[in-house]
Amino acid sequence: MEKIETLKKWISESRNIVFFGGAGVSTESGIPDFRGVDGLYHQKYDFPPEEIISRRFFRSHPEEFYKFYKDKMLPLGFEPNITHRVLARWEEEGRLSAVVTQNIDGLHQKAGSKTVHELHGSVLRNYCQRCGKFHSAEFVKESEGVPMCECGGIVKPDVVLYGEGLDEKTMYDAMMAIYHADLLIVAGTSLTVYPAAGLVRFFQGDRLVLINRDETPYDHAAGLVLHESLGKIFEQL
Ligand code: CNA
């Protein structure tokens, strides 16, 4: 059977799909990934991106952090693509129980998905480090230099920087969703960022699908591997 036919069959037989995705899910909305061919890690900056988006750098060089962050990591004005939309439809139809995402762009919710475990947080939430006040992504984008709260505190995006831990409840909820899934679709992720990538190991079922342009370290473990663009696959589903 052709791979796409097998995928369609598995989806139609499933009542508890979990989708686990990464930056590759949003590239077709126009947001670059990190490690793909056009990704941020292949471009040149004064400091390597891994260093800029670390907790240490945020504290020591907030100006430079925010210059990069506002330019490259604050994806405002982008729209969900076919993959986000199909996933939202499956949830509404009762066949998908959760989306687990490493993305920080909020596009799954914008497409209508309700149960989204955002492992690395969201650019849409920003909090003053001193008084805890919420600030919108627009506030951050439009602020001059480092966004400051009225109280004088520095505003920090609710995204997990290198050197920071993941939110325990989000991680637990993601783990449980994957553990109970009857079909796990892992897509648009290089599966190289831990601990997120390790979540795949909690899957107990025998229907693991991997859809990614490039090879991943988990290809060998999947029952179905498609090295294709997500849009091309999801427009058939
Ligand atoms: P990554 O390491 O950049 O890997 C992305 C993977 O997606 C690569 O292996 C690509 O081959 C693949 N890919 C890219 N486009 C497509 C496509 N259209 N169809 C199929 N495959 C595609 O990204 P990960 O998510 O694995 O790494 C985790 C980081 C990236 C997380 O911390 C994210 O927060 C971070 N990130 C998020 C966004 C976003 O929110 N949209 C954007 C860039 C980076």
Side-chain angles (χ1 to χ4, degrees), residues 21 53 56 83 104 111 113 124 134 146 205 213-214 217:
I53 50 179
R56 214 157 43 114
T83 305
I104 52 177
S113 285
L124 302 180
F134 171 89
V146 178
R213 273 196 205 135
D214 298 309

Side-chain angles (χ1 to χ4, degrees), residues 30-32 34 40 43 45 49 52-53 57-58 61-78 104 123 126 135-149 154-157 159 161:
I31 304 171
F34 279 177
L40 290 185
Q43 301 171 22
Y45 302 101
I52 301 177
I53 50 179
F57 197 87
F58 177 79
H61 300 72
E63 293 272 354
E64 268 134 321
F65 171 89
Y66 267 114
K67 195 163 162 285
F68 179 87
Y69 176 81
K70 287 187 211 174
D71 250 22
K72 304 289 175 189
M73 291 184 63
L74 198 44
L76 297 183
F78 291 94
I104 52 177
V123 299
N126 305 276
H135 293 277
S136 70
E138 288 76 15
F139 171 86
V140 171
K141 186 100 184 175
E142 284 156 19
S143 61
E144 193 75 36
V146 178
M148 305 293 291
C149 185
I154 292 181
V155 174
K156 182 182 178 293
V159 300
L161 304 177

Side-chain angles (χ1 to χ4, degrees), residues 20-37 39-41 53 72-73 75 81 83-84 101-107 119-123 159-160 162 187-194 196-197 211-216 226-233:
F20 176 33
V25 174
S26 293
T27 53
E28 285 162 295
S29 289
I31 304 171
D33 60 12
F34 279 177
R35 294 175 189 79
V37 276
L40 290 185
Y41 286 11
I53 50 179
K72 304 289 175 189
M73 291 184 63
N81 61 50
T83 305
H84 299 105
T101 184
Q102 299 167 80
N103 291 350
I104 52 177
D105 56 32
L107 287 185
L119 298 171
H120 294 156
S122 171
V123 299
V159 300
V160 179
Y162 287 108
T189 170
S190 59
L191 289 174
T192 52
V193 178
Y194 279 83
I211 312 171
N212 204 56
R213 273 196 205 135
D214 298 309
E215 282 180 18
T216 80
L226 295 101
H227 288 145
E228 298 267 10
S229 106
L230 275 162
K232 206 174 137 201
I233 302 295

Side-chain angles (χ1 to χ4, degrees), residues 11-27:
I11 290 165
S12 71
E13 289 170 0
S14 175
R15 282 292 165 272
N16 194 359
I17 303 170
V18 170
F19 180 91
F20 176 33
V25 174
S26 293
T27 53

